[in-house]
PDB file of all heavy atoms in Angstrom:
ATOM      1  N   ARG V 150      -4.191  -6.463   2.935  1.00  0.00           N
ATOM      2  CA  ARG V 150      -4.760  -6.473   1.586  1.00  0.00           C
ATOM      3  C   ARG V 150      -4.793  -7.910   1.093  1.00  0.00           C
ATOM      4  O   ARG V 150      -3.823  -8.646   1.319  1.00  0.00           O
ATOM      5  CB  ARG V 150      -3.905  -5.634   0.653  1.00  0.00           C
ATOM      6  CG  ARG V 150      -4.389  -5.624  -0.795  1.00  0.00           C
ATOM      7  CD  ARG V 150      -3.386  -4.930  -1.708  1.00  0.00           C
ATOM      8  NE  ARG V 150      -3.809  -5.024  -3.085  1.00  0.00           N
ATOM      9  CZ  ARG V 150      -3.049  -4.684  -4.110  1.00  0.00           C
ATOM     10  NH1 ARG V 150      -1.842  -4.225  -3.926  1.00  0.00           N
ATOM     11  NH2 ARG V 150      -3.473  -4.772  -5.348  1.00  0.00           N
ATOM     12  N   PRO V 158       0.089  -4.909 -12.518  1.00  0.00           N
ATOM     13  CA  PRO V 158       1.469  -4.962 -12.998  1.00  0.00           C
ATOM     14  C   PRO V 158       2.475  -5.380 -11.933  1.00  0.00           C
ATOM     15  O   PRO V 158       2.186  -5.376 -10.747  1.00  0.00           O
ATOM     16  CB  PRO V 158       1.719  -3.490 -13.436  1.00  0.00           C
ATOM     17  CG  PRO V 158       0.835  -2.706 -12.550  1.00  0.00           C
ATOM     18  CD  PRO V 158      -0.402  -3.536 -12.345  1.00  0.00           C
ATOM     19  N   LEU V 160       6.013  -4.172 -10.303  1.00  0.00           N
ATOM     20  CA  LEU V 160       6.634  -2.860 -10.086  1.00  0.00           C
ATOM     21  C   LEU V 160       8.083  -3.039  -9.691  1.00  0.00           C
ATOM     22  O   LEU V 160       8.417  -3.890  -8.853  1.00  0.00           O
ATOM     23  CB  LEU V 160       5.870  -2.111  -9.001  1.00  0.00           C
ATOM     24  CG  LEU V 160       6.428  -0.761  -8.531  1.00  0.00           C
ATOM     25  CD1 LEU V 160       6.246   0.273  -9.643  1.00  0.00           C
ATOM     26  CD2 LEU V 160       5.699  -0.315  -7.267  1.00  0.00           C
ATOM     27  N   VAL V 188       6.014  -2.111 -14.639  1.00  0.00           N
ATOM     28  CA  VAL V 188       6.093  -0.677 -14.404  1.00  0.00           C
ATOM     29  C   VAL V 188       7.421  -0.358 -13.724  1.00  0.00           C
ATOM     30  O   VAL V 188       7.726  -0.870 -12.647  1.00  0.00           O
ATOM     31  CB  VAL V 188       4.932  -0.184 -13.507  1.00  0.00           C
ATOM     32  CG1 VAL V 188       5.110   1.295 -13.167  1.00  0.00           C
ATOM     33  CG2 VAL V 188       3.579  -0.390 -14.229  1.00  0.00           C
ATOM     34  N   VAL V 190       9.787   2.460 -12.123  1.00  0.00           N
ATOM     35  CA  VAL V 190       9.689   3.793 -11.538  1.00  0.00           C
ATOM     36  C   VAL V 190      11.059   4.306 -11.182  1.00  0.00           C
ATOM     37  O   VAL V 190      11.843   3.635 -10.497  1.00  0.00           O
ATOM     38  CB  VAL V 190       8.797   3.780 -10.273  1.00  0.00           C
ATOM     39  CG1 VAL V 190       8.827   5.139  -9.574  1.00  0.00           C
ATOM     40  CG2 VAL V 190       7.355   3.432 -10.650  1.00  0.00           C
ATOM     41  N   ARG V 237       8.113   5.218 -15.703  1.00  0.00           N
ATOM     42  CA  ARG V 237       7.586   6.428 -15.054  1.00  0.00           C
ATOM     43  C   ARG V 237       8.721   7.133 -14.324  1.00  0.00           C
ATOM     44  O   ARG V 237       9.365   6.548 -13.449  1.00  0.00           O
ATOM     45  CB  ARG V 237       6.484   6.069 -14.041  1.00  0.00           C
ATOM     46  CG  ARG V 237       5.294   5.388 -14.675  1.00  0.00           C
ATOM     47  CD  ARG V 237       4.251   5.012 -13.629  1.00  0.00           C
ATOM     48  NE  ARG V 237       3.145   4.259 -14.237  1.00  0.00           N
ATOM     49  CZ  ARG V 237       2.198   3.635 -13.528  1.00  0.00           C
ATOM     50  NH1 ARG V 237       2.206   3.708 -12.213  1.00  0.00           N
ATOM     51  NH2 ARG V 237       1.249   2.942 -14.161  1.00  0.00           N
ATOM     52  N   VAL V 239       9.240  10.245 -11.901  1.00  0.00           N
ATOM     53  CA  VAL V 239       8.355  11.078 -11.101  1.00  0.00           C
ATOM     54  C   VAL V 239       9.165  11.975 -10.183  1.00  0.00           C
ATOM     55  O   VAL V 239      10.297  11.644  -9.787  1.00  0.00           O
ATOM     56  CB  VAL V 239       7.366  10.233 -10.272  1.00  0.00           C
ATOM     57  CG1 VAL V 239       6.464   9.426 -11.180  1.00  0.00           C
ATOM     58  CG2 VAL V 239       8.097   9.295  -9.326  1.00  0.00           C
ATOM     59  N   ALA V 244      11.022   6.369  -1.773  1.00  0.00           N
ATOM     60  CA  ALA V 244      10.292   5.421  -0.948  1.00  0.00           C
ATOM     61  C   ALA V 244       8.790   5.655  -1.019  1.00  0.00           C
ATOM     62  O   ALA V 244       7.989   4.704  -1.104  1.00  0.00           O
ATOM     63  CB  ALA V 244      10.769   5.479   0.498  1.00  0.00           C
ATOM     64  N   HIS V 245       8.393   6.917  -1.001  1.00  0.00           N
ATOM     65  CA  HIS V 245       6.956   7.249  -1.076  1.00  0.00           C
ATOM     66  C   HIS V 245       6.385   6.865  -2.444  1.00  0.00           C
ATOM     67  O   HIS V 245       5.274   6.326  -2.556  1.00  0.00           O
ATOM     68  CB  HIS V 245       6.732   8.722  -0.817  1.00  0.00           C
ATOM     69  CG  HIS V 245       5.303   9.134  -0.913  1.00  0.00           C
ATOM     70  ND1 HIS V 245       4.756   9.631  -2.099  1.00  0.00           N
ATOM     71  CD2 HIS V 245       4.286   9.115  -0.024  1.00  0.00           C
ATOM     72  CE1 HIS V 245       3.473   9.880  -1.923  1.00  0.00           C
ATOM     73  NE2 HIS V 245       3.159   9.579  -0.666  1.00  0.00           N
ATOM     74  N   ALA V 246       7.137   7.155  -3.502  1.00  0.00           N
ATOM     75  CA  ALA V 246       6.647   6.856  -4.844  1.00  0.00           C
ATOM     76  C   ALA V 246       6.412   5.364  -5.023  1.00  0.00           C
ATOM     77  O   ALA V 246       5.362   4.932  -5.549  1.00  0.00           O
ATOM     78  CB  ALA V 246       7.650   7.354  -5.884  1.00  0.00           C
ATOM     79  N   LEU V 247       7.362   4.514  -4.579  1.00  0.00           N
ATOM     80  CA  LEU V 247       7.222   3.093  -4.762  1.00  0.00           C
ATOM     81  C   LEU V 247       6.145   2.537  -3.841  1.00  0.00           C
ATOM     82  O   LEU V 247       5.375   1.637  -4.273  1.00  0.00           O
ATOM     83  CB  LEU V 247       8.555   2.408  -4.460  1.00  0.00           C
ATOM     84  CG  LEU V 247       9.637   2.607  -5.526  1.00  0.00           C
ATOM     85  CD1 LEU V 247      10.965   2.081  -5.050  1.00  0.00           C
ATOM     86  CD2 LEU V 247       9.247   1.950  -6.844  1.00  0.00           C
ATOM     87  N   THR V 248       6.042   3.023  -2.619  1.00  0.00           N
ATOM     88  CA  THR V 248       5.001   2.551  -1.725  1.00  0.00           C
ATOM     89  C   THR V 248       3.632   2.877  -2.264  1.00  0.00           C
ATOM     90  O   THR V 248       2.693   2.077  -2.220  1.00  0.00           O
ATOM     91  CB  THR V 248       5.177   3.138  -0.315  1.00  0.00           C
ATOM     92  OG1 THR V 248       6.487   2.776   0.191  1.00  0.00           O
ATOM     93  CG2 THR V 248       4.136   2.594   0.640  1.00  0.00           C
ATOM     94  N   PHE V 249       3.483   4.083  -2.795  1.00  0.00           N
ATOM     95  CA  PHE V 249       2.223   4.490  -3.383  1.00  0.00           C
ATOM     96  C   PHE V 249       1.859   3.601  -4.572  1.00  0.00           C
ATOM     97  O   PHE V 249       0.730   3.104  -4.680  1.00  0.00           O
ATOM     98  CB  PHE V 249       2.274   5.967  -3.834  1.00  0.00           C
ATOM     99  CG  PHE V 249       1.019   6.450  -4.495  1.00  0.00           C
ATOM    100  CD1 PHE V 249      -0.076   6.840  -3.738  1.00  0.00           C
ATOM    101  CD2 PHE V 249       0.925   6.474  -5.882  1.00  0.00           C
ATOM    102  CE1 PHE V 249      -1.256   7.277  -4.352  1.00  0.00           C
ATOM    103  CE2 PHE V 249      -0.239   6.906  -6.503  1.00  0.00           C
ATOM    104  CZ  PHE V 249      -1.347   7.291  -5.734  1.00  0.00           C
ATOM    105  N   GLU V 250       2.823   3.392  -5.477  1.00  0.00           N
ATOM    106  CA  GLU V 250       2.569   2.571  -6.674  1.00  0.00           C
ATOM    107  C   GLU V 250       2.290   1.099  -6.292  1.00  0.00           C
ATOM    108  O   GLU V 250       1.613   0.393  -7.056  1.00  0.00           O
ATOM    109  CB  GLU V 250       3.736   2.653  -7.615  1.00  0.00           C
ATOM    110  CG  GLU V 250       3.951   4.007  -8.251  1.00  0.00           C
ATOM    111  CD  GLU V 250       2.883   4.359  -9.278  1.00  0.00           C
ATOM    112  OE1 GLU V 250       2.107   3.444  -9.682  1.00  0.00           O
ATOM    113  OE2 GLU V 250       2.818   5.523  -9.713  1.00  0.00           O
ATOM    114  N   SER V 251       2.811   0.644  -5.148  1.00  0.00           N
ATOM    115  CA  SER V 251       2.613  -0.735  -4.758  1.00  0.00           C
ATOM    116  C   SER V 251       1.158  -1.079  -4.559  1.00  0.00           C
ATOM    117  O   SER V 251       0.738  -2.235  -4.671  1.00  0.00           O
ATOM    118  CB  SER V 251       3.410  -1.051  -3.485  1.00  0.00           C
ATOM    119  OG  SER V 251       2.804  -0.501  -2.327  1.00  0.00           O
ATOM    120  N   ARG V 252       0.339  -0.081  -4.247  1.00  0.00           N
ATOM    121  CA  ARG V 252      -1.098  -0.294  -4.046  1.00  0.00           C
ATOM    122  C   ARG V 252      -1.794  -0.814  -5.286  1.00  0.00           C
ATOM    123  O   ARG V 252      -2.845  -1.433  -5.223  1.00  0.00           O
ATOM    124  CB  ARG V 252      -1.785   1.003  -3.597  1.00  0.00           C
ATOM    125  CG  ARG V 252      -1.208   1.607  -2.333  1.00  0.00           C
ATOM    126  CD  ARG V 252      -1.885   2.932  -2.061  1.00  0.00           C
ATOM    127  NE  ARG V 252      -1.263   3.654  -0.949  1.00  0.00           N
ATOM    128  CZ  ARG V 252      -1.629   4.850  -0.563  1.00  0.00           C
ATOM    129  NH1 ARG V 252      -2.625   5.485  -1.167  1.00  0.00           N
ATOM    130  NH2 ARG V 252      -1.011   5.451   0.462  1.00  0.00           N
ATOM    131  N   TYR V 253      -1.166  -0.545  -6.439  1.00  0.00           N
ATOM    132  CA  TYR V 253      -1.793  -0.904  -7.699  1.00  0.00           C
ATOM    133  C   TYR V 253      -0.974  -1.976  -8.448  1.00  0.00           C
ATOM    134  O   TYR V 253      -1.120  -2.121  -9.643  1.00  0.00           O
ATOM    135  CB  TYR V 253      -1.921   0.344  -8.574  1.00  0.00           C
ATOM    136  CG  TYR V 253      -2.557   1.513  -7.833  1.00  0.00           C
ATOM    137  CD1 TYR V 253      -1.767   2.548  -7.308  1.00  0.00           C
ATOM    138  CD2 TYR V 253      -3.931   1.537  -7.595  1.00  0.00           C
ATOM    139  CE1 TYR V 253      -2.346   3.590  -6.607  1.00  0.00           C
ATOM    140  CE2 TYR V 253      -4.494   2.582  -6.887  1.00  0.00           C
ATOM    141  CZ  TYR V 253      -3.719   3.601  -6.393  1.00  0.00           C
ATOM    142  OH  TYR V 253      -4.275   4.628  -5.671  1.00  0.00           O
ATOM    143  N   SER V 254      -0.167  -2.711  -7.681  1.00  0.00           N
ATOM    144  CA  SER V 254       0.720  -3.709  -8.277  1.00  0.00           C
ATOM    145  C   SER V 254       0.484  -5.066  -7.629  1.00  0.00           C
ATOM    146  O   SER V 254       0.069  -5.149  -6.479  1.00  0.00           O
ATOM    147  CB  SER V 254       2.198  -3.309  -8.078  1.00  0.00           C
ATOM    148  OG  SER V 254       2.429  -1.993  -8.565  1.00  0.00           O
ATOM    149  N   GLN V 255       0.773  -6.122  -8.372  1.00  0.00           N
ATOM    150  CA  GLN V 255       0.648  -7.474  -7.781  1.00  0.00           C
ATOM    151  C   GLN V 255       1.955  -7.917  -7.117  1.00  0.00           C
ATOM    152  O   GLN V 255       1.964  -8.822  -6.320  1.00  0.00           O
ATOM    153  CB  GLN V 255       0.254  -8.488  -8.845  1.00  0.00           C
ATOM    154  CG  GLN V 255       1.245  -8.689  -9.988  1.00  0.00           C
ATOM    155  CD  GLN V 255       0.856  -9.835 -10.887  1.00  0.00           C
ATOM    156  OE1 GLN V 255       0.919 -10.988 -10.456  1.00  0.00           O
ATOM    157  NE2 GLN V 255       0.451  -9.540 -12.096  1.00  0.00           N
ATOM    158  N   LEU V 256       3.046  -7.229  -7.447  1.00  0.00           N
ATOM    159  CA  LEU V 256       4.357  -7.606  -6.898  1.00  0.00           C
ATOM    160  C   LEU V 256       5.300  -6.406  -7.040  1.00  0.00           C
ATOM    161  O   LEU V 256       5.249  -5.682  -8.029  1.00  0.00           O
ATOM    162  CB  LEU V 256       4.927  -8.792  -7.691  1.00  0.00           C
ATOM    163  CG  LEU V 256       6.317  -9.285  -7.278  1.00  0.00           C
ATOM    164  CD1 LEU V 256       6.295  -9.903  -5.895  1.00  0.00           C
ATOM    165  CD2 LEU V 256       6.823 -10.311  -8.302  1.00  0.00           C
ATOM    166  N   VAL V 257       6.132  -6.213  -6.034  1.00  0.00           N
ATOM    167  CA  VAL V 257       7.156  -5.170  -6.050  1.00  0.00           C
ATOM    168  C   VAL V 257       8.526  -5.829  -5.959  1.00  0.00           C
ATOM    169  O   VAL V 257       8.717  -6.765  -5.163  1.00  0.00           O
ATOM    170  CB  VAL V 257       6.988  -4.172  -4.897  1.00  0.00           C
ATOM    171  CG1 VAL V 257       8.021  -3.044  -4.984  1.00  0.00           C
ATOM    172  CG2 VAL V 257       5.563  -3.598  -4.878  1.00  0.00           C
ATOM    173  N   SER V 278       4.888  -1.699   2.127  1.00  0.00           N
ATOM    174  CA  SER V 278       4.110  -2.167   0.994  1.00  0.00           C
ATOM    175  C   SER V 278       2.940  -3.028   1.453  1.00  0.00           C
ATOM    176  O   SER V 278       3.076  -3.863   2.346  1.00  0.00           O
ATOM    177  CB  SER V 278       5.003  -2.987   0.034  1.00  0.00           C
ATOM    178  OG  SER V 278       4.221  -3.534  -1.020  1.00  0.00           O
ATOM    179  N   THR V 280       1.541  -5.024  -0.714  1.00  0.00           N
ATOM    180  CA  THR V 280       1.573  -6.154  -1.656  1.00  0.00           C
ATOM    181  C   THR V 280       2.895  -6.867  -1.510  1.00  0.00           C
ATOM    182  O   THR V 280       3.855  -6.306  -0.936  1.00  0.00           O
ATOM    183  CB  THR V 280       1.374  -5.631  -3.115  1.00  0.00           C
ATOM    184  OG1 THR V 280       0.918  -6.646  -3.936  1.00  0.00           O
ATOM    185  CG2 THR V 280       2.662  -5.037  -3.654  1.00  0.00           C
TER     186      THR V 280
END
Side-chain angles (χ1 to χ4, degrees):
R150 178 188 176 190
L160 176 70
V188 174
V190 173
R237 299 178 186 170
V239 298
H245 178 267
L247 289 171
T248 302
F249 178 81
E250 292 289 348
S251 75
R252 301 176 188 177
Y253 310 100
S254 307
Q255 62 172 293
L256 178 67
V257 183
S278 174
T280 202

